[in-house]
Amino acid sequence: MQRFIRAVVTADYALFMVGGLGLTFMMLVTLTDVVMRYMGRPIFGSMELVCFTSAVVIGFAIPYTSWTKGHIVVDFLMEMLSPGTVRIFRIVTRIMAIALFLFAGYNFILYSFDLMKSGEVSPGLEFPITRSHSDLP
């Protein structure tokens, strides 16, 4: 079991690092776009790049943040409750978070199938949102 937990923590940390690199990329693109816009040559599609990268940053940072319990906790509320109530509260909120992410993930999968059928692309850079099976080699 310890081996499995170590593998999960390693994977979470690797995803967290990729999210950090994505955040760095977003900052560099934004900074470069602001400077270039001042010179009259903005980066075409910079907003799309930042939006797509933000999905990676958020999605890849959540597992590590959850594992390290780095999310925001309202301490003053927890201090007013008994230890048993705090434990139950944490279990209930974890179950609710798992249910929320399962629901969101399921709906993202359904949405991706709709995008695949329609062949939708991003507005500026025209990145394919999804790749249809006919495009595969």
Side-chain angles (χ1 to χ4, degrees), residues 78 81-95:
M78 295 297 196
L81 302 173
S82 68
T85 307
V86 169
R87 186 167 187 258
I88 290 170
F89 187 76
R90 287 190 176 150
I91 290 170
V92 169
T93 56
R94 287 262 175 162
I95 290 170

Side-chain angles (χ1 to χ4, degrees), residues 14-28:
L15 291 174
F16 187 67
M17 288 288 109
V18 171
L21 290 172
L23 186 60
T24 303
F25 173 76
M26 287 170 53
M27 291 186 313
L28 290 173

Side-chain angles (χ1 to χ4, degrees), residues 39-117:
M39 295 181 200
R41 295 242 190 234
I43 299 174
F44 178 74
S46 63
M47 186 59 124
E48 282 182 33
L49 290 173
V50 169
C51 287
F52 286 138
T53 308
S54 69
V56 171
V57 169
I58 292 168
F60 282 19
I62 286 175
Y64 184 77
T65 305
S66 179
W67 186 264
T68 60
K69 297 182 179 152
H71 47 274
I72 297 172
V73 177
V74 183
D75 288 334
F76 72 90
L77 176 66
M78 295 297 196
E79 289 173 359
M80 294 175 11
L81 302 173
S82 68
T85 307
V86 169
R87 186 167 187 258
I88 290 170
F89 187 76
R90 287 190 176 150
I91 290 170
V92 169
T93 56
R94 287 262 175 162
I95 290 170
M96 289 171 56
I98 290 169
L100 172 70
F101 285 115
L102 286 173
F103 177 75
Y106 175 74
N107 282 294
F108 283 141
I109 290 169
L110 292 179
Y111 183 61
S112 69
F113 287 141
D114 287 344
L115 291 175
M116 253 194 311
K117 287 178 189 173

Side-chain angles (χ1 to χ4, degrees), residues 44-45 48-50 52 119-130:
F44 178 74
E48 282 182 33
L49 290 173
V50 169
F52 286 138
E120 190 169 338
V121 296
S122 66
L125 296 174
E126 297 184 0
F127 285 149
I129 305 287
T130 57

